[in-house]
Amino acid sequence: MTYQSRSFNLPELKGLSAEQIKVHLGLYEGYVKHVNLIMDKIAALRAADPEGNAYPINEMRRRLGFEFDGMRLHEYYFEQFEGGHCEPDEGSALFKATIEKYGDKGGLVAHMKEVAGTRGIGWVVVYADPKATDPQGRIHTAFVNDHELGQLAGLPIVAALDLWEHAFMVDYKPAEKNQYVAAFFDNLNWKTVEARFPAAA
Ligand SMILES: [Fe+2]
């Protein structure tokens, strides 16, 4: 087993029930299990007959990104709630980059909410781009389909908002996604998010 499920020290959350979080953590553990399973199965099939097993090996390799990114994005997601909500630090590099890009301190959240309105299952992922020379390129917000489609290669992840219905359907109806998104921000620990934003970005 290469990966083990992480445990998260979560406080009582506003607008997200303990049952919702329990169900969601169970799904996270499933991704960890399947990352290990794919790696083990590929290794076994290669050891047995790499040519004869080429098709199943190839198909599992295609599947790895879904399971791996599903595992890792959930880790970004849950750790953002550890320690409880706190407001953005106006002295942080992320705050300065937010002002440069959006012109006001609420710009990043407003943009994330806009991207969260994208139809379909997936994630809003906020990235930093330490290689950007234009200050406007220091923060990117993408909609990632499933867990792996549309990720921006190599960019450090700053924030991850799960928009799969499993993330909120214990507490909300599908049409109430906006309420779930509001609850996400009500519980977001900005200190954790800011620490992910590289000082050089
Ligand atoms: Fe999820």
Side-chain angles (χ1 to χ4, degrees), residues 24 27-28 31 70 74 77-78 123 147 162-164 166-167:
H24 202 175
L27 287 166
Y28 155 66
Y31 286 106
H74 281 102
Y77 177 80
F78 287 115
W123 296 75
H147 304 301
D162 194 342
L163 290 168
W164 283 60
H166 69 233

Side-chain angles (χ1 to χ4, degrees), residues 86-104:
C86 67
E87 292 294 327
D89 173 4
E90 300 200 359
S92 70
L94 176 60
F95 190 88
K96 285 174 193 157
T98 297
I99 298 293
E100 274 184 327
K101 177 147 187 168
Y102 300 103
D104 72 86

Side-chain angles (χ1 to χ4, degrees), residues 100-101 129 131-140 201:
E100 274 184 327
K101 177 147 187 168
D129 185 1
K131 292 184 181 173
T133 49
D134 182 341
Q136 294 288 312
R138 287 176 188 156
I139 305 174
H140 291 294

Side-chain angles (χ1 to χ4, degrees), residues 76 79 108 119 124 141 161 166 174 180 193 198:
Y76 280 100
E79 71 183 16
L108 176 58
R119 288 173 60 76
V124 172
T141 305
L161 166 52
H166 69 233
Y180 158 69
V193 174

